[in-house]
Amino acid sequence: MASQQDFLFAAEESYPLAMDNADVRYYPQFIADSKAWLPALQQQIQWRQDSIKVYGKQQPIPRLNAWYGDEGIHYAYSGLQLQHHNWCPVLAELRAMLEQKLGLRFNSVLANYYRNGQDSVGWHSDNEKELGPEPIIASLSFGDTRRFSFRSNSQPRSTSHIDLASGSLLLMQGGTQQHWQHQLAKTQQVSVQGRINLTFRRIVASR
C-alpha cells in the first residue's frame, strides 16, 4: 500500500498507481493542447453554485458544478439532486474521444470548476448506488495543476498524492471507490485561470 507518497511520472505514457484493492491509472498527457479547450468549457457549460446541508445549515459548495447526461439520467450526492442538462457540444466531443480511446461507454459527466485555490472538495468516495458496485470514473483536468489525494478506508492516516496536470486523465475503476476516499484540498497557490475537472461516469440506476 502506498503511504505518504507522491506519484511522479514521465509524460507520454500511462501508469497504474500502487494502491491496494484499487484500479487507478494516470495518463499525464491524454488531451493535447488542453488549455485551448478552456474557453469552450467555461462558456458552454451552465455553471452554478449549489448548496448542501452541513450540520443542519445550508452551505454553498466551494466550487461551481454542472451535471450533463443522456435523457433520463439523473444523479445525487450528499442529499443534493443535481440539475440535469443535455450534452453541450464540447462535452459531447470529449465523451466521444474518451470512449474511442478507452473502449468504455459513459452516459453522464459531473463538471467541477475550481475558480481559485480556495475552491475544493473534501474527502469522499463516488460510491452512490446509481454508479453500481464498481464504478468507472474517468477524470479529465483542464487549467491549473492541483494536488489530488487518496486515503485508504482501512488505514485513514495513510495518504497518497498526485498532481493532476492540464490535459491529464485519472481513470478509477474496480474496488477503488469501495476501499478509498479522495479529495482536492484548498491551496494558497494563486490561481490565474482556475481548474476545470470533468468526471465522466456511467449511471446504471437513476433515481
Side-chain angles (χ1 to χ4, degrees):
M1 176 184 297
S3 175
Q4 297 295 337
Q5 173 182 353
D6 291 346
F7 296 107
L8 302 175
F9 304 109
E12 301 103 21
E13 300 180 45
S14 66
Y15 299 83
L17 299 174
M19 297 164 55
D20 291 343
N21 301 312
D23 182 357
V24 183
R25 180 167 286 271
Y26 181 57
Y27 301 74
Q29 292 186 341
F30 192 82
I31 301 289
D33 300 324
S34 60
K35 292 186 179 180
W37 291 79
L38 275 172
L41 292 169
Q42 291 167 331
Q43 296 163 17
Q44 292 185 27
I45 295 175
Q46 298 185 50
W47 298 108
R48 57 183 288 166
Q49 187 171 25
D50 286 312
S51 297
I52 59 174
K53 186 172 287 188
V54 180
Y55 300 117
K57 295 183 179 180
Q58 289 293 126
Q59 300 287 345
I61 295 173
R63 60 192 176 277
L64 304 182
N65 63 14
W67 173 254
Y68 285 77
D70 294 349
E71 193 67 34
I73 297 298
H74 301 284
Y75 185 60
Y77 68 90
S78 299
L80 172 65
Q81 181 68 55
L82 296 172
Q83 180 180 349
H84 174 270
H85 299 289
N86 292 324
W87 294 93
C88 62
V90 65
L91 292 179
E93 185 175 355
L94 286 168
R95 174 173 70 158
M97 184 185 302
L98 273 175
E99 292 184 338
Q100 179 181 11
K101 290 186 176 183
L102 299 178
L104 300 170
R105 293 291 176 264
F106 302 99
N107 58 15
S108 53
V109 60
L110 176 60
N112 286 294
Y113 190 179
Y114 300 92
R115 298 159 291 181
N116 53 54
Q118 294 306 295
D119 276 0
S120 62
V121 62
W123 289 112
H124 69 285
S125 297
D126 295 317
N127 58 0
E128 291 79 13
K129 67 177 183 180
E130 296 98 320
L131 298 171
E134 293 191 339
I136 298 175
I137 310 290
S139 176
L140 287 175
S141 295
F142 298 86
D144 289 342
T145 297
R146 291 286 296 267
R147 173 150 291 197
F148 191 82
S149 301
F150 288 98
R151 71 178 180 187
S152 168
N153 289 339
S154 60
Q155 299 184 31
R157 294 184 180 180
S158 294
T159 59
S160 298
H161 314 281
I162 180 168
D163 292 335
L164 299 181
S166 187
S168 68
L169 168 67
L170 189 71
L171 184 63
M172 298 179 283
Q173 305 181 86
T176 306
Q177 305 304 323
Q178 281 69 42
H179 297 282
W180 293 81
Q181 292 183 324
H182 52 269
Q183 74 161 355
L184 191 82
K186 297 180 186 296
T187 176
Q188 295 303 313
Q189 173 186 340
V190 177
S191 174
V192 175
Q193 58 189 351
R195 171 181 181 259
I196 291 177
N197 173 237
L198 307 176
T199 53
F200 288 83
R201 304 144 185 264
R202 181 165 185 82
I203 300 297
V204 297
S206 278
R207 296 184 182 182

XYZ file of all heavy atoms in Angstrom, residues 19 21 63 75-78 110 121-133 135 137 148-154 172 174-184 199 201 207:
377
model
N -1.863 1.063 -5.303
C -2.868 1.160 -4.249
C -3.559 -0.187 -4.099
O -4.036 -0.750 -5.086
C -3.898 2.245 -4.594
C -3.310 3.642 -4.696
S -4.395 4.836 -5.550
C -5.907 4.684 -4.596
N -6.363 -2.934 -3.402
C -7.814 -3.008 -3.601
C -8.332 -1.849 -4.449
O -9.427 -1.322 -4.201
C -8.542 -3.038 -2.250
C -8.129 -4.209 -1.396
O -8.090 -5.341 -1.864
N -7.812 -3.939 -0.133
N -17.121 25.513 -4.922
C -16.757 25.334 -6.324
C -18.038 25.490 -7.137
O -19.144 25.468 -6.580
C -16.147 23.942 -6.579
C -17.086 22.804 -6.237
C -16.406 21.451 -6.209
N -17.338 20.395 -5.791
C -17.628 20.115 -4.523
N -17.067 20.808 -3.536
N -18.474 19.147 -4.225
N -28.602 12.143 -11.099
C -27.557 11.839 -10.114
C -27.709 12.748 -8.910
O -28.086 13.913 -9.034
C -26.177 12.024 -10.753
C -25.011 11.635 -9.883
C -24.870 10.346 -9.396
C -24.016 12.563 -9.560
C -23.780 9.984 -8.611
C -22.922 12.218 -8.782
C -22.812 10.916 -8.311
O -21.740 10.572 -7.545
N -27.427 12.198 -7.732
C -27.485 12.973 -6.498
C -26.356 12.540 -5.576
O -25.910 11.392 -5.616
C -28.837 12.767 -5.800
N -25.872 13.467 -4.762
C -24.889 13.141 -3.730
C -25.075 14.112 -2.576
O -25.505 15.254 -2.758
C -23.458 13.201 -4.262
C -22.961 14.581 -4.619
C -22.318 15.379 -3.677
C -23.120 15.092 -5.895
C -21.862 16.641 -3.998
C -22.667 16.356 -6.229
C -22.039 17.125 -5.280
O -21.594 18.371 -5.604
N -24.773 13.653 -1.356
C -24.887 14.467 -0.144
C -26.254 15.136 -0.032
O -26.378 16.273 0.425
C -23.785 15.540 -0.106
O -22.513 14.942 -0.101
N -20.035 14.792 -14.483
C -20.115 15.823 -13.465
C -18.944 16.770 -13.684
O -17.783 16.357 -13.622
C -20.060 15.223 -12.060
C -20.037 16.230 -10.898
C -21.296 17.100 -10.914
C -19.899 15.519 -9.559
N -12.816 20.231 -2.740
C -13.805 19.194 -2.421
C -13.189 18.315 -1.341
O -12.010 17.955 -1.416
C -14.204 18.369 -3.666
C -13.025 17.627 -4.266
C -15.336 17.402 -3.338
N -13.981 18.013 -0.299
C -13.481 17.259 0.840
C -13.437 15.765 0.587
O -13.810 15.263 -0.487
N -12.980 15.027 1.592
C -12.847 13.574 1.490
C -14.193 12.934 1.186
O -15.194 13.202 1.851
C -12.301 12.995 2.788
C -10.864 13.296 3.056
C -10.357 14.096 4.038
C -9.736 12.789 2.334
N -8.990 14.130 3.978
C -8.572 13.337 2.948
C -9.590 11.939 1.235
C -7.296 13.045 2.495
C -8.310 11.653 0.790
C -7.184 12.198 1.411
N -14.218 12.069 0.178
C -15.443 11.360 -0.182
C -15.087 10.210 -1.121
O -13.970 10.119 -1.634
C -16.434 12.296 -0.890
C -15.977 12.705 -2.260
N -14.968 13.631 -2.482
C -16.384 12.290 -3.495
C -14.772 13.775 -3.774
N -15.617 12.963 -4.419
N -16.052 9.345 -1.352
C -15.959 8.304 -2.370
C -17.132 8.460 -3.317
O -18.232 8.858 -2.902
C -16.002 6.901 -1.744
O -14.897 6.690 -0.903
N -16.929 8.173 -4.578
C -18.020 8.180 -5.552
C -18.655 6.793 -5.553
O -18.455 5.993 -6.474
C -17.490 8.540 -6.939
C -16.943 9.952 -6.988
O -17.587 10.851 -6.416
O -15.873 10.165 -7.593
N -19.404 6.515 -4.495
C -19.955 5.165 -4.295
C -21.467 5.159 -4.202
O -22.055 4.249 -3.613
C -19.347 4.537 -3.039
C -19.584 5.375 -1.793
O -20.208 6.442 -1.841
N -19.093 4.910 -0.659
N -22.129 6.161 -4.789
C -23.583 6.186 -4.786
C -24.131 4.983 -5.557
O -23.504 4.502 -6.505
C -24.091 7.493 -5.409
C -23.824 8.727 -4.568
C -22.397 9.235 -4.690
O -21.699 8.776 -5.624
O -21.982 10.074 -3.872
N -25.299 4.518 -5.160
C -25.850 3.298 -5.749
C -26.099 3.434 -7.243
O -26.082 2.430 -7.978
C -27.135 2.898 -5.038
C -28.299 3.851 -5.235
C -29.554 3.326 -4.542
C -30.747 4.228 -4.802
N -31.972 3.718 -4.137
N -26.320 4.680 -7.714
C -26.549 4.879 -9.145
C -25.357 4.446 -9.992
O -25.494 4.157 -11.176
C -26.826 6.365 -9.446
C -28.089 6.900 -8.823
C -27.811 7.650 -7.533
O -26.952 7.185 -6.762
O -28.445 8.686 -7.309
N -24.160 4.402 -9.382
C -22.938 4.104 -10.126
C -22.606 2.617 -10.169
O -21.642 2.221 -10.841
C -21.761 4.869 -9.510
C -21.890 6.394 -9.542
C -20.780 7.047 -8.723
C -21.865 6.909 -10.974
N -23.378 1.790 -9.452
C -23.123 0.360 -9.454
C -22.047 -0.032 -8.456
O -21.437 0.821 -7.794
N -21.762 -1.332 -8.325
C -20.835 -1.816 -7.296
C -19.370 -1.472 -7.558
O -18.584 -1.357 -6.620
C -21.051 -3.334 -7.308
C -21.571 -3.628 -8.681
C -22.399 -2.442 -9.070
N -17.755 1.368 -9.743
C -17.876 2.485 -10.686
C -16.614 2.697 -11.513
O -15.490 2.465 -11.047
C -18.121 3.681 -9.769
C -18.599 3.108 -8.474
C -17.913 1.781 -8.352
N -14.789 5.817 -13.201
C -14.758 7.276 -13.215
C -13.559 7.719 -14.049
O -12.415 7.393 -13.718
C -14.622 7.864 -11.794
C -15.656 7.260 -10.837
C -14.715 9.387 -11.841
C -17.070 7.672 -11.092
N -4.235 16.098 -5.961
C -5.341 15.184 -5.711
C -4.844 14.134 -4.729
O -3.760 13.580 -4.905
C -5.761 14.538 -7.031
C -7.043 13.756 -6.999
C -8.265 14.394 -7.102
C -7.019 12.371 -6.912
C -9.440 13.668 -7.102
C -8.189 11.636 -6.905
C -9.410 12.292 -7.004
N -5.622 13.842 -3.693
C -5.160 12.956 -2.623
C -6.088 11.761 -2.455
O -7.303 11.868 -2.637
C -5.080 13.719 -1.301
O -4.197 14.805 -1.401
N -5.491 10.638 -2.073
C -6.218 9.426 -1.726
C -5.926 9.060 -0.275
O -4.832 9.309 0.226
C -5.765 8.242 -2.594
C -6.198 8.293 -4.029
C -5.321 8.754 -5.006
C -7.456 7.860 -4.405
C -5.694 8.775 -6.334
C -7.839 7.881 -5.741
C -6.964 8.339 -6.701
N -6.907 8.436 0.386
C -6.639 7.809 1.677
C -7.441 6.515 1.767
O -8.578 6.413 1.286
C -6.973 8.723 2.845
C -8.441 8.977 3.099
C -8.617 9.869 4.327
N -10.029 10.126 4.606
C -10.467 10.980 5.526
N -9.587 11.680 6.240
N -11.759 11.148 5.728
N -6.851 5.528 2.381
C -7.452 4.206 2.494
C -8.530 4.193 3.571
O -8.350 4.765 4.647
C -6.368 3.180 2.831
O -6.937 1.950 3.208
N -9.656 3.539 3.288
C -10.700 3.397 4.300
C -10.222 2.570 5.482
O -10.639 2.809 6.622
C -11.940 2.743 3.693
C -12.664 3.670 2.734
O -12.505 4.886 2.787
N -13.448 3.096 1.835
N -9.345 1.609 5.245
C -8.874 0.737 6.327
C -7.740 1.364 7.126
O -7.525 1.018 8.278
C -8.425 -0.618 5.764
O -7.372 -0.449 4.836
N -10.320 5.739 -12.638
C -10.546 4.960 -11.412
C -11.599 3.889 -11.696
O -12.691 4.197 -12.170
C -11.012 5.878 -10.275
C -9.999 6.939 -9.903
S -10.556 8.050 -8.555
C -11.682 9.130 -9.464
N -12.761 -0.641 -10.732
C -12.702 -1.742 -9.778
C -13.197 -1.346 -8.401
O -14.205 -0.668 -8.248
N -12.456 -1.758 -7.374
C -12.868 -1.501 -5.997
C -12.396 -0.183 -5.431
O -12.471 0.025 -4.207
N -11.921 0.726 -6.288
C -11.347 1.984 -5.801
C -12.301 2.747 -4.895
O -11.931 3.197 -3.804
C -10.939 2.884 -6.984
O -10.080 2.155 -7.864
C -10.230 4.126 -6.493
N -13.552 2.903 -5.331
C -14.499 3.721 -4.562
C -14.959 3.029 -3.281
O -15.388 3.705 -2.335
C -15.705 4.088 -5.427
C -15.362 4.777 -6.732
C -14.538 6.040 -6.544
O -14.734 6.789 -5.585
N -13.592 6.286 -7.445
N -14.863 1.698 -3.236
C -15.255 0.975 -2.026
C -14.156 1.008 -0.959
O -14.442 0.961 0.236
C -15.587 -0.487 -2.356
C -16.974 -0.685 -2.971
C -17.071 -0.101 -4.370
O -16.152 -0.258 -5.171
N -18.152 0.597 -4.660
N -12.905 1.108 -1.396
C -11.788 0.969 -0.460
C -11.006 2.258 -0.223
O -10.166 2.302 0.670
C -10.838 -0.123 -0.956
C -11.472 -1.477 -1.022
N -11.676 -2.260 0.087
C -11.974 -2.184 -2.083
C -12.255 -3.395 -0.274
N -12.452 -3.376 -1.574
N -11.277 3.300 -1.023
C -10.513 4.538 -0.912
C -11.424 5.762 -0.977
O -12.476 5.729 -1.607
C -9.494 4.638 -2.052
C -8.404 3.618 -1.973
C -8.470 2.305 -2.373
C -7.081 3.812 -1.458
N -7.278 1.673 -2.137
C -6.396 2.585 -1.576
C -6.406 4.898 -0.926
C -5.075 2.422 -1.181
C -5.087 4.738 -0.522
C -4.439 3.506 -0.654
N -10.980 6.827 -0.321
C -11.588 8.138 -0.477
C -10.592 9.049 -1.197
O -9.395 8.754 -1.268
C -11.934 8.745 0.893
C -13.045 8.014 1.625
C -13.400 8.698 2.930
O -12.537 9.245 3.623
N -14.681 8.682 3.276
N -11.115 10.174 -1.719
C -10.235 11.133 -2.378
C -10.703 12.550 -2.083
O -11.839 12.776 -1.675
C -10.168 10.876 -3.888
C -11.496 10.798 -4.564
N -12.183 9.606 -4.721
C -12.288 11.746 -5.118
C -13.319 9.826 -5.349
N -13.406 11.129 -5.603
N -9.806 13.510 -2.289
C -10.145 14.913 -2.079
C -9.268 15.809 -2.942
O -8.204 15.396 -3.426
C -9.964 15.318 -0.609
C -8.513 15.467 -0.176
C -8.331 16.280 1.100
O -9.291 16.832 1.651
N -7.101 16.347 1.589
N -9.719 17.052 -3.113
C -8.909 18.121 -3.686
C -8.899 19.232 -2.639
O -9.886 19.943 -2.466
C -9.505 18.623 -5.003
C -8.600 19.558 -5.807
C -7.607 18.727 -6.620
C -9.405 20.447 -6.736
N -15.632 14.624 -14.648
C -15.630 13.220 -14.236
C -16.741 12.485 -14.989
O -17.910 12.571 -14.622
C -15.801 13.083 -12.710
O -16.950 13.811 -12.288
C -14.584 13.601 -11.983
N -18.910 9.383 -16.180
C -19.415 8.244 -15.420
C -20.432 7.464 -16.253
O -20.905 7.940 -17.283
C -20.133 8.725 -14.144
C -19.266 9.602 -13.245
C -20.075 10.694 -12.581
N -19.197 11.599 -11.817
C -18.973 11.498 -10.522
N -19.613 10.577 -9.818
N -18.162 12.326 -9.911
N -32.292 7.679 -10.073
C -33.353 7.882 -9.092
C -34.557 8.500 -9.764
O -34.418 9.237 -10.713
C -32.851 8.788 -7.960
C -31.720 8.159 -7.171
C -31.326 9.033 -6.007
N -30.199 8.411 -5.287
C -29.652 8.907 -4.191
N -30.114 10.024 -3.669
N -28.643 8.314 -3.607
